[in-house]
Amino acid sequence: MNSIDICKVSLGINSYKIFIGKDIHKSLTDYISNYKNYSKTVVISDKNILEKNPSLFNNYLNKDIEFDQIILPQGEKIKSFKYLELLVEKILKLEVDRDTLLICIGGGVLGDLVGLASSLILRGLDFVQVPSTLLAQVDSSVGGKTGINSKYGKNLIGSFNQPKSVIISTDILKTLNKRDVNSGYAEILKYSFIYDKNFFNWLVKNGKKVISLHTESCVYAIKKSCSIKSKIVSIDEKEKGIRELLNFGHTFGHAIEAITGYKNKIKHGEAIFIGMHLAIKFSSFLKICKKDVLEKYSSHLENLKINYKLSDYNIKISPKSFLRHMKFDKKVKNNKIKLILIKDIGSPIRLFLDNEKLLSNFLKNELK
Ligand SMILES: NC(=O)c1ccc[n+]([C@@H]2O[C@H](COP(=O)([O-])OP(=O)(O)OC[C@H]3O[C@@H](n4cnc5c(N)ncnc54)[C@H](O)[C@@H]3O)[C@@H](O)[C@H]2O)c1
């Protein structure tokens, strides 16, 4: 038996467990409670994952389990009404009933789409997340946010829909390309910045091992990130308070993703590296941040050879367009942008921006 770590997301009757291990995929259904009670299982994955892991389904599901499979294209473009409709129709065609279980084996994109579909079909089917990217393992598979994008902004259409369990097997990351591994590291770094300075110090020592997918370091970073997210989500499922801290770097990052059209030019995690850098710089600009924070952030990523500036990605955005997209983000109330900024590593603050001119001047200076 492999060693397995378990985190719990405590949400009353919607509580669930996150199972984390090196190689727990061989017996997926052991981690799904009352699996035998489901009338049908539909496994959804993407084409790219299957090309890289041709035996994925055989390896992932116990040999004696019957299931239907749906394979979608890969990429952020599937977080759209077009693919939501396609997926929903494909699932309905299988004559599913309310006791059907959906299992999503994929990255954050697929997880967000399948989670949304599962909340809509027959007014709600159970679903299980089997995250297959580092980003999905440390962040998107936990917490129940589902969604698709709009031309007005990222994740603007969605629901809160908690999975029945999250099953994380680090072995599946072996086929992930370097860019996607690094992209996942953005959310790990985010957890250290919003919650735990000691975790940041650990990352300074062990970050290289994490992005090299060294098993013990990866399991530790995943466990730490999932446990921070579980604690936050258990307190504030619907993002009325503390959960907003998880958006550190995201209001800037989402604007970058929306402006670049959700293309492969910039991945979600890459946009978040830039977004966190801008959020720290803006915190310094407003004089609410300790001096060494920016230096620590930059030198850590430079050590890891990870890009974190817009210019590194050859992207030019006008300050006007940047500001307009930041205002389309969900974190706007009464026309005021809500930003998660940072006082020190591990000490974030929420700020409603009364004076938009400040942000506009900051962006003009940063984007010239
Ligand atoms: N719901 C949430 O709380 C939440 C949180 C953070 C991010 N997100 C969302 O997550 C998305 C980004 O997720 P992502 O970075 O996982 O991207 P992704 O899902 O697009 O996956 C990245 C690439 O990796 C491939 N891939 C997946 N698993 C693989 C494997 N094991 N081996 C080889 N290739 C594999 C995919 O085919 C894809 O090409 C964004 O849309 C973002 O908005 C959601």
Side-chain angles (χ1 to χ4, degrees):
M1 185 81 176
N2 283 315
S3 93
I4 295 167
D5 287 291
I6 301 176
C7 291
K8 189 169 177 200
V9 183
S10 303
L11 292 168
I13 55 162
N14 291 326
S15 298
Y16 55 95
K17 287 183 182 153
I18 305 163
F19 300 94
I20 306 163
K22 175 179 177 296
D23 194 17
I24 59 174
H25 51 281
K26 304 241 159 72
S27 49
L28 256 199
T29 49
D30 292 351
Y31 304 100
I32 301 172
S33 51
N34 301 320
Y35 179 74
K36 288 203 165 63
N37 294 347
Y38 289 105
S39 58
K40 196 186 250 304
T41 302
V42 182
V43 183
I44 302 146
S45 194
D46 87 33
K47 215 168 152 225
N48 186 34
I49 303 172
L50 280 170
E51 272 168 18
K52 291 183 175 142
N53 300 273
S55 55
L56 181 80
F57 283 173
N58 292 340
N59 281 346
Y60 256 67
L61 288 146
N62 318 23
K63 299 270 179 300
D64 52 339
I65 302 295
E66 272 185 35
F67 59 93
D68 292 290
Q69 43 179 284
I70 296 176
I71 312 301
L72 293 180
Q74 59 98 29
E76 189 74 34
K77 65 176 181 292
I78 68 167
K79 280 177 62 171
S80 63
F81 272 119
K82 178 179 159 197
Y83 283 99
L84 177 66
E85 181 182 5
L86 186 121
L87 174 61
V88 166
E89 297 294 2
K90 274 180 186 281
I91 294 171
L92 290 173
K93 196 173 170 194
L94 296 170
E95 298 179 359
V96 294
D97 61 24
R98 280 204 166 140
D99 294 320
T100 296
L101 175 71
L102 306 183
I103 299 181
C104 171
I105 305 180
V109 161
L110 200 71
D112 282 7
L113 180 71
V114 173
L116 180 56
S118 99
S119 70
L120 298 172
I121 297 168
L122 306 182
R123 299 207 170 87
L125 298 181
D126 285 357
F127 85 114
V128 164
Q129 291 269 26
V130 184
S132 66
T133 61
L134 184 60
L135 188 137
Q137 296 193 345
V138 298
D139 195 356
S140 64
S141 63
V142 175
K145 272 193 185 176
T146 80
I148 56 174
N149 303 322
S150 145
K151 66 179 176 189
Y152 293 106
K154 182 109 173 127
N155 299 331
L156 292 185
I157 302 137
S159 62
F160 286 99
N161 182 29
Q162 302 296 340
K164 286 292 156 196
S165 58
V166 179
I167 303 162
I168 298 176
S169 211
T170 53
D171 261 11
I172 198 179
L173 299 176
K174 282 182 185 153
T175 51
L176 199 60
N177 69 41
K178 185 76 191 130
R179 209 176 148 198
D180 284 305
V181 172
N182 287 357
S183 181
Y185 191 77
E187 303 285 10
I188 297 176
L189 189 58
K190 174 189 80 178
Y191 285 111
S192 74
F193 263 73
I194 60 161
Y195 206 82
D196 191 338
K197 198 171 188 167
N198 291 335
F199 184 33
F200 175 74
N201 293 336
W202 182 89
L203 288 174
V204 170
K205 289 198 191 111
N206 298 285
K208 266 196 188 125
K209 286 196 204 158
V210 175
I211 59 173
S212 313
L213 300 180
H214 169 262
T215 302
E216 279 75 40
S217 311
C218 255
V219 167
Y220 181 83
I222 294 168
K223 217 168 57 182
K224 193 84 193 161
S225 304
C226 286
S227 86
I228 295 172
K229 186 156 187 184
S230 310
K231 275 186 207 141
I232 292 177
V233 170
S234 299
I235 297 168
D236 177 25
E237 181 187 7
K238 300 278 168 72
E239 200 171 292
K240 305 277 185 221
I242 190 176
R243 187 168 181 169
E244 288 172 343
L245 298 180
L246 298 176
N247 298 324
F248 174 55
H250 282 62
T251 306
F252 289 100
H254 283 169
I256 297 167
E257 288 184 273
I259 293 164
T260 50
Y262 313 116
K263 304 260 166 54
N264 205 31
K265 194 172 171 71
I266 189 124
K267 296 199 169 259
H268 176 70
E270 294 169 337
I272 300 312
F273 281 126
I274 303 169
M276 291 192 287
H277 184 234
L278 288 172
I280 298 167
K281 280 192 122 181
F282 190 50
S283 309
S284 301
F285 180 84
L286 297 179
K287 299 191 174 26
I288 51 180
C289 180
K290 273 179 75 179
K291 278 210 175 81
D292 62 347
V293 175
L294 184 61
E295 211 285 306
K296 282 186 170 157
Y297 182 81
S298 310
S299 64
H300 178 55
L301 291 179
E302 274 155 27
N303 265 335
L304 297 179
K305 300 192 172 39
I306 290 178
N307 292 332
Y308 59 91
K309 294 184 199 136
L310 264 184
S311 53
D312 296 333
Y313 294 90
N314 239 336
I315 295 171
K316 267 219 110 22
I317 302 175
S318 74
K320 210 168 153 194
S321 165
F322 209 119
L323 190 62
R324 187 158 41 90
H325 278 86
M326 284 182 79
K327 290 174 80 173
F328 273 139
D329 205 49
K330 295 180 294 303
K331 295 111 206 160
V332 170
K333 205 172 172 186
N334 301 332
N335 211 28
K336 285 183 195 165
I337 301 177
K338 195 189 298 173
L339 286 171
I340 305 304
L341 299 178
I342 206 98
K343 289 192 282 190
D344 191 4
I345 299 171
S347 303
I349 55 163
R350 280 173 278 175
L351 185 102
F352 270 112
L353 203 60
D354 286 321
N355 183 356
E356 193 181 297
K357 199 96 194 102
L358 281 173
L359 182 58
S360 160
N361 287 343
F362 168 76
L363 288 172
K364 273 184 201 149
N365 199 40
E366 278 303 311
L367 305 174
K368 64 183 178 212

